[in-house]
Amino acid sequence: MRSSMSSCTVILPALNEENVIEKAVAAIFSAFERVNLDIVIVDDGSTDGTWEKIKKISKDNPLVKGIRFTRNFGKEGAIMAGLHEAAGDCVIVMDSDLQFPPKTAVEMFELWHTDGYMVVEGVKIRRQKESFIYKLGASAFYKFLRRFAGLDMNNTSDFKLLDREVVELLKKMPERQSFFRAITGWTGVRSAKIYFTVQPRIGGATKWSYFRLMKFAVSSITSFTTLPMQLVTFTGFGFMLFALIMSVQTLWMKASGKAVAGFTTVIVLLLIVGSILMISLGVIGVYIAKIYDEIKFRPRYIVSEISWDDGRKSKGIKPDKDFMDILAGRKSHRE
Ligand code: UDP
Ligand code: MG
């Protein structure tokens, strides 16, 4: 049982959510009526009126803080920024489109509060209105991760409660391309699952195209396993075996005096070997790109503005002044 004074910070990553953000904040506050709650909204480079809305909410309610990025850095970056600014004894990450029910967030809080879990994971019960291709892709993706990276991620979501200690742990992880959904499972802390139904969006539109989903899948798989790279070697061995059999057959044909009608075989082999080589190089390329991104040590996001300059203290986030100065032309790169 944790202290009755325990506080909680809700993190809301938001990209072009001007239609829903106010409703979401109101719904979350009313659901958490009896909890010491504050909210950090991270505007991940919205191009609509989201930031104006966030500033207004934050001005009217001192319990809401807003962080604005210079451009779209992706939901993972937004979550990371939120974790750096969160002050609560526990942190709940949810979407800002109310697809994750605030009621479930309260249940997460209660589980954490009474049973002392370090992480409470939201697991989706039923996926609404998802196409066949999406379902097929999602299931292949989760099976692969489970089989080869040992991560059980089926129907997991970015809807999670994290204890303060886990937040501190995540903040220290040097990885640039973090993978929020799995990283808490990877740390192996004591966790609980809570099931919830994904609600339809109350406004705005989803940001996930098929292309984006595919990029996300590749990035997640390569973050947690190097197996695709080893597959290249295995395929190589398979082909050696194939080549041996073919050689024996060819030699036998020659020895038995039959004409070598091997044109088809040559073409087919050439095509197969060629495509496998290309795919293999691609796989290695993905990993090298990943190493390249990691060693550049670029920041995961750049903050252009915060909504609180009225005496409220920052916990870790401030606008990147140097960068903003350069953008505004007040300072040259060469100084
Ligand atoms: N989001 C974000 N940055 C992005 C994409 C999405 O901050 O680059 C936020 C978005 O505003 C929403 C949440 O992440 O709060 C989930 O996005 P979305 O609703 O588009 O995903 P879906 O629910 O369709 O899976
Ligand atoms: Mg959504």
Side-chain angles (χ1 to χ4, degrees), residues 13 15 17 44 72 95-97 99 201 206-208 212:
L15 172 63
E17 306 285 10
D44 184 16
N72 178 245
D95 284 1
S96 43
D97 53 10
Q99 284 194 280
R201 241 178 189 279
T206 178
K207 277 93 205 168
W208 291 95
R212 222 175 153 159

Side-chain angles (χ1 to χ4, degrees), residues 15 72 130-131 133-135 137-138 181 201 205-218:
L15 172 63
N72 178 245
E130 278 162 355
S131 71
I133 302 176
Y134 180 91
K135 279 192 193 134
R181 273 180 203 203
R201 241 178 189 279
T206 178
K207 277 93 205 168
W208 291 95
S209 58
Y210 278 120
F211 181 68
R212 222 175 153 159
L213 276 171
M214 218 153 83
K215 248 175 69 181
F216 176 75
V218 169

Side-chain angles (χ1 to χ4, degrees), residues 251-291:
L251 286 176
W252 183 79
M253 294 278 273
K254 199 170 168 67
S256 64
K258 287 178 195 149
V260 190
F263 192 65
T264 327
T265 329
V266 172
I267 294 285
V268 170
L269 268 182
L270 208 83
L271 286 175
I272 296 178
V273 174
S275 54
I276 292 204
L277 277 177
M278 269 186 234
I279 295 171
S280 311
L281 283 176
V283 170
I284 296 167
V286 173
Y287 280 96
I288 294 182
K290 201 148 204 144
I291 297 170

Side-chain angles (χ1 to χ4, degrees), residues 86-126:
D89 299 320
C90 71
V91 168
I92 298 177
V93 176
M94 48 198 296
D95 284 1
S96 43
D97 53 10
L98 282 181
Q99 284 194 280
F100 300 165
K103 202 173 86 282
T104 312
V106 178
E107 288 166 24
M108 285 179 166
F109 178 81
E110 274 157 10
L111 254 178
W112 168 81
H113 193 255
T114 50
D115 297 338
Y117 289 104
M118 298 300 270
V119 173
V120 184
E121 310 247 6
V123 182
K124 296 177 187 170
I125 294 179
R126 197 161 47 89

Side-chain angles (χ1 to χ4, degrees), residues 80-242:
M80 229 34 229
L83 290 179
H84 279 275
E85 189 52 40
D89 299 320
C90 71
V91 168
I92 298 177
V93 176
M94 48 198 296
D95 284 1
S96 43
D97 53 10
L98 282 181
Q99 284 194 280
F100 300 165
K103 202 173 86 282
T104 312
V106 178
E107 288 166 24
M108 285 179 166
F109 178 81
E110 274 157 10
L111 254 178
W112 168 81
H113 193 255
T114 50
D115 297 338
Y117 289 104
M118 298 300 270
V119 173
V120 184
E121 310 247 6
V123 182
K124 296 177 187 170
I125 294 179
R126 197 161 47 89
R127 311 166 130 234
Q128 291 186 346
K129 278 199 241 149
E130 278 162 355
S131 71
F132 178 71
I133 302 176
Y134 180 91
K135 279 192 193 134
L136 203 77
S139 117
F141 167 64
Y142 290 130
K143 278 208 186 104
F144 187 91
L145 273 178
R146 191 196 177 108
R147 179 83 181 73
F148 297 115
L151 293 169
D152 184 4
M153 301 233 325
N154 202 9
N155 285 346
T156 49
S157 60
D158 292 330
F159 190 15
K160 283 188 208 306
L161 177 145
L162 309 175
D163 183 84
R164 165 62 36 199
E165 283 181 49
V166 179
V167 173
E168 293 306 321
L169 204 88
L170 287 189
K171 273 158 64 174
K172 273 192 240 139
M173 289 211 180
E175 231 171 291
R176 253 101 264 282
Q177 304 171 8
S178 50
F179 177 34
F180 185 70
R181 273 180 203 203
I183 206 100
T184 46
W186 179 85
T187 54
V189 292
R190 187 167 172 258
S191 67
K193 283 189 171 140
I194 196 160
Y195 294 84
F196 72 99
T197 313
V198 180
Q199 306 297 310
R201 241 178 189 279
I202 55 164
T206 178
K207 277 93 205 168
W208 291 95
S209 58
Y210 278 120
F211 181 68
R212 222 175 153 159
L213 276 171
M214 218 153 83
K215 248 175 69 181
F216 176 75
V218 169
S219 146
S220 327
I221 289 171
T222 50
S223 279
F224 284 91
T225 168
T226 51
L227 191 98
M229 221 149 65
Q230 277 137 33
L231 274 182
V232 174
T233 325
F234 287 123
T235 329
F237 278 117
F239 263 83
M240 206 153 94
L241 202 75
F242 189 49

